[in-house]
């Protein structure tokens, strides 16, 4: 992957994705959207990865969509065939949505470590993560309503599964800032930390704890939680029964039992890389 907006490091079964453009408020330039897909494809191809942390350099997590990119989108030529221009814009939005859908669909848990501002597209992104931690100076803002557009790359679809519906609607309709303490109170974030350094340490510790578990069991747990979110209880129960019919026959349960008896850490095999029929 050619990196310009993101940096990727993998160590001790944890993939760390870091936004590199701190001096520019980590705004989401065109390269960002492409690299998000590339970096998660690389994680998917790397069996050693068992958890992911997303963090950012600089004072702020992200100020959201780059203004130059927004101007370009808003200034698209519609003087000619408006229907074809609309079809083109729809495909652009779907393409941008995919850049965060890959986070949601990542087979291992993703932890967001958020400092300072998390605005617009930042909320779309962290809504796709499995859990969120933040600094005490962090704030969240569904900025789209403040620039006269509807949030369109995941916030309005995923946030209602994370916090009460009334809070989603208040934040989406008003565009007000949600401070760290309030985000903790409504369950948007799991923990609040005084400094960026303590935040990163907590995120890496959480990811490391996840990585110490059976990767097959963790992947199954994430898959079941996501499936339950999108289906009925009956569908979810039926699906997990089918999953268990295969997973319980593997060696991880035996290894865990032996490790517990012997007073040692279990040694689990990595997941296999995803097989694809074509590149891309």
């Amino acid at each position: 992957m050619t990196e310009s907006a993101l940096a990727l490091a993998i160590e001790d079964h944890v993939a760390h994705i870091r936004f590199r453009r701190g001096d520019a408020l980590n705004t989401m330039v065109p390269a960002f959207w492409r690299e998000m897909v590339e970096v998660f494809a690389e994680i998917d191809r790397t069996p050693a990865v068992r958890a992911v942390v997303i963090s950012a350099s600089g004072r702020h997590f992200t100020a959201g969509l780059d203004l130059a990119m927004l101007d370009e989108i808003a200034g698209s030529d519609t003087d000619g065939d408006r229907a074809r221009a609309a079809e083109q814009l729809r495909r652009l939005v779907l393409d941008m949505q995919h850049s965060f859908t890959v986070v949601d669909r990542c087979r291992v848990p993703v932890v967001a470590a958020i400092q300072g501002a998390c605005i617009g597209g930042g909320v779309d992104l962290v809504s796709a993560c499995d859990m969120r931690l933040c600094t005490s100076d962090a704030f969240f803002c569904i900025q789209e309503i403040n620039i006269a557009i509807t949030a369109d790359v995941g916030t309005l679809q995923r946030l209602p599964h994370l916090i009460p519906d009334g809070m989603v609607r208040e934040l989406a309709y008003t565009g007000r800032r949600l401070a760290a303490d309030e985000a903790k109170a409504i369950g948007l974030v799991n923990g609040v930390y005084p400094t960026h350094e303590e935040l990163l340490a907590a995120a890496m510790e959480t990811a490391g704890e996840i990585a110490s578990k059976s990767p097959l069991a963790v992947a199954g747990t994430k898959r079941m939680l996501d499936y339950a979110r999108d289906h009925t209880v009956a569908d979810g129960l039926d699906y997990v029964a089918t999953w268990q019919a295969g997973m319980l026959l593997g060696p991880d349960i035996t290894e865990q039992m032996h490790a517990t008896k012997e007073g040692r850490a279990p040694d689990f095999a990595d997941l296999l890389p995803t097989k694809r029929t074509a590149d891309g």
Side-chain angles (χ1 to χ4, degrees), residues 39-223:
V39 78
F40 274 91
E42 187 167 340
I43 288 169
D44 204 33
R45 291 192 296 265
T46 307
V49 175
R50 300 181 183 182
V52 178
V53 171
I54 298 177
S55 73
S57 60
R59 292 181 55 198
H60 298 290
F61 185 72
T62 178
L65 184 66
D66 179 66
L67 290 179
M69 186 175 174
L70 178 61
D71 287 342
E72 182 179 348
I73 294 171
S76 297
D77 180 19
T78 59
D79 293 335
D81 190 328
R82 294 178 62 87
R84 281 170 172 76
E87 192 276 336
Q88 181 188 50
L89 181 56
R90 179 179 183 274
R91 283 188 287 112
L92 173 62
V93 173
L94 289 172
D95 197 46
M96 293 170 68
Q97 289 174 355
H98 181 62
S99 296
F100 295 154
T101 297
V102 297
V103 181
D104 191 9
R105 292 183 180 174
C106 181
R107 62 177 173 172
V108 301
V110 181
V111 181
I114 304 148
Q115 85 281 11
C118 181
I119 296 173
V123 179
D124 293 295
L125 169 59
V126 302
S127 297
C129 296
D130 291 86
M131 63 196 80
R132 291 143 295 278
L133 309 175
C134 73
T135 53
S136 56
D137 68 346
F139 66 88
F140 304 81
C141 178
I142 303 177
Q143 178 70 1
E144 288 84 352
I145 199 70
N146 294 327
I147 55 174
I149 64 175
T150 299
D152 57 3
V153 287
T155 289
L156 303 182
Q157 292 69 40
R158 296 188 175 100
L159 203 58
H161 294 283
L162 304 176
I163 63 176
D165 181 74
M167 285 301 304
V168 176
R169 291 172 184 270
E170 177 186 337
L171 296 170
Y173 296 155
T174 67
R176 76 168 177 86
R177 293 183 175 187
L178 178 76
D181 56 350
E182 190 178 4
K184 177 69 162 60
I186 64 174
L188 179 61
V189 299
N190 292 38
V192 178
Y193 301 87
T195 67
H196 193 192
E197 291 74 19
E198 290 172 275
L199 167 68
L200 281 174
M204 297 304 290
E205 181 181 1
T206 299
E209 179 68 15
I210 294 168
S212 72
K213 310 300 183 184
S214 160
L216 187 60
V218 171
T221 300
K222 174 165 182 174
R223 181 66 186 126

Side-chain angles (χ1 to χ4, degrees), residues 28-48:
M28 297 175 174
V29 294
F32 169 88
W33 302 91
R34 180 185 69 253
E35 290 174 19
M36 284 294 293
V37 176
E38 293 174 356
V39 78
F40 274 91
E42 187 167 340
I43 288 169
D44 204 33
R45 291 192 296 265
T46 307

